[in-house]
Amino acid sequence: MTSSTLKICCNPIRQRWVFAFMSFLAIVIAYGMRASLSIAITEIAKPIAQNDVSSDDLCPIDESAAKKNVSTSATYDWDEYTQGIILSSFYWGYVVTQLPGALLAEKWGAKHVTGFGILVTGVLTVGIPVAVQWGGSTALIIVRILMGLCEGVTFPALNIMLARWTPLSERSKTGSFVYAGAPLGTVFATTIAGLLLKHADWPVVFYFFGGCSVAWWLFWIGCCYDSPRQHPYISDEEAVYLYAELSEHVHERPPPVPWRHFIASMPMWALIAVTIGHEWGFYTVSMGLPKYMSSVLHFDVEDNGYLSSLPYVGMWLCSLIMSCAADKLIGSRVLSITATRKLGTSVAALGPGLFILGAAYTRCDRVAAVIMFTLMVTLLGSGIPSLKVNALDLSPNYAGTVMAVSNGAAACTGILTPYVVGVLTPQQTLSQWRNVFWIIFGLLIGTNAFYLIFGSGNVVEWNDPEYVSRAKSKEKKLDADNK
């Protein structure tokens, strides 16, 4: 089928919507691959002994649940510290390739960088069972590091494409829809993994999620392109519309990143700070909640999968509602972009902070704990149309680099949180987990306060190549005058 035939067939379909949907699926699958281990590890590793612990600091075990929760495939004696290292090892690699991924995508094209990253991560995911059987925890850590290296390019590369495909009037809505793939990917991982673990051995979990990435890549290669100008069958009407909407702040070939201006930018540091606080809460819960449900509250594996996924359904819905509200507030000029972003991050900090403290003091009330966790993670969704989209606000020309730096800094929390949880909860007691929840509260509130002071939703001056050029000329002139 020729490109002209495809153009006629696909003319009624808005290609920016196709791109948004495929990008959304990319993040769903990416998070599915990384999060599936969080629940699978409860079946891979043997339960931790809770000897010499006061019964007041432990929840009673339901005997019927305990019988359902016995695993026949849990053969590895990995303590909490080892499990924390395994879960965090993904982010050792993930942090490293954030900035290189952005630079590669800006130079060679974001489409293939994104596709390659997801595809190879999927292949490595399929190889996890062999790695564990061959080399135990050490081999699993190595595979997880390699997965992180490959997946680290995803967010920066997708952000570059979002800047080229999303008009300002649709930015909050489209950006939130795409990035809402993170909570839905976690839902996907925990729900499907729980079902698979109930009816099959744990290796099937990784075969399933790795296979999904290969199927996605085949559609991605044929349907998506780096920019509207390169798309062979986009309608003329949509191409003209996108050019008119994006031409002011987005250049096809912007000059290299003005790092001196970048580093001196307080809005940039504010974005980094609030992203760190948000992701600390998200990563701690996403990686630790299945363990808390299993080891502290004693849910069986199938219920664990369902209940661990429930908060992320709320997070997804909240992100969509807040994104529509954000676009409406900005479009009707009720609030500025800056005020709208700060409102979103504040809801995503104060609400989750209070509810995580509520969860810390529900003790063994399983219903109350599930409600608190659900509300906590749900309100984290308010941050998606704020902090995730803020990279596009600040610098459309360098959206990939801005995302790489902010997301890379925040990804360090993915390294630290499993380690911190492993160190603070060696015996999985209520008081040990309470310390974990207080840390989440402090970081959410502190980093959001910094963002309220220094954050911005306006395009920064150094996004404009002419501004950077004038600044360089002025500096050269001053140097010449001083000489």
Side-chain angles (χ1 to χ4, degrees), residues 212-406:
C212 287
S213 74
V214 177
W216 169 86
W217 177 77
L218 293 173
F219 284 98
W220 174 260
I221 289 298
C223 295
C224 297
Y225 293 82
D226 283 306
S227 69
R229 287 186 178 182
Q230 297 178 23
H231 205 296
Y233 44 93
I234 188 173
S235 69
D236 295 335
E237 177 190 0
E238 186 179 16
V240 170
Y241 168 71
L242 290 175
Y243 177 79
E245 287 284 315
L246 299 170
S247 59
E248 181 180 355
H249 294 301
V250 181
H251 297 74
E252 281 289 321
R253 293 292 178 184
V257 178
W259 285 109
R260 189 171 64 80
H261 297 279
F262 187 100
I263 293 170
S265 175
M266 287 309 296
M268 185 67 224
W269 286 107
L271 175 59
I272 291 171
V274 77
T275 306
I276 287 173
H278 184 275
E279 298 300 83
W280 185 283
F282 179 78
Y283 285 138
T284 303
V285 174
S286 65
M287 287 187 275
L289 186 56
K291 176 62 68 176
Y292 188 85
M293 292 287 197
S294 173
S295 300
V296 178
L297 298 180
H298 306 299
F299 284 104
D300 75 83
V301 65
E302 187 173 15
D303 290 340
N304 190 352
Y306 291 140
L307 294 172
S308 294
S309 69
L310 183 62
Y312 303 101
V313 176
M315 187 179 186
W316 170 66
L317 291 172
C318 181
S319 69
L320 294 183
I321 292 169
M322 291 298 289
S323 66
C324 292
D327 277 339
K328 185 166 287 189
L329 288 170
I330 293 168
S332 61
R333 301 185 184 277
V334 172
L335 290 177
S336 66
I337 296 176
T338 298
T340 303
R341 302 300 182 232
K342 289 181 178 180
L343 175 63
T345 60
S346 297
V347 172
L350 184 60
L354 293 175
F355 284 119
I356 198 67
L357 287 188
Y361 292 95
T362 57
R363 295 190 62 78
C364 300
D365 188 332
R366 304 205 297 178
V367 173
V370 169
I371 290 172
M372 291 295 172
F373 283 125
T374 300
L375 292 173
M376 181 264 180
V377 178
T378 293
L379 291 179
L380 278 177
S382 177
I384 293 177
S386 298
L387 59 92
K388 293 294 187 186
V389 179
N390 198 205
L392 297 172
D393 297 328
L394 295 179
S395 181
N397 274 329
Y398 304 105
T401 301
V402 174
M403 175 59 80
V405 173
S406 61

Side-chain angles (χ1 to χ4, degrees), residues 92 94 150 282:
W92 304 353
Y94 188 72
C150 294
F282 179 78

Side-chain angles (χ1 to χ4, degrees), residues 103-110 112-113 226 253:
L103 298 176
L104 281 172
E106 285 168 353
K107 186 170 184 180
W108 301 109
H112 291 297
V113 171
D226 283 306
R253 293 292 178 184

Side-chain angles (χ1 to χ4, degrees), residues 120 155 161 172 191 254 284 324 337 417-418 480:
V120 179
F155 273 89
M161 295 179 75
S172 297
T191 304
T284 303
C324 292
I337 296 176
T417 53

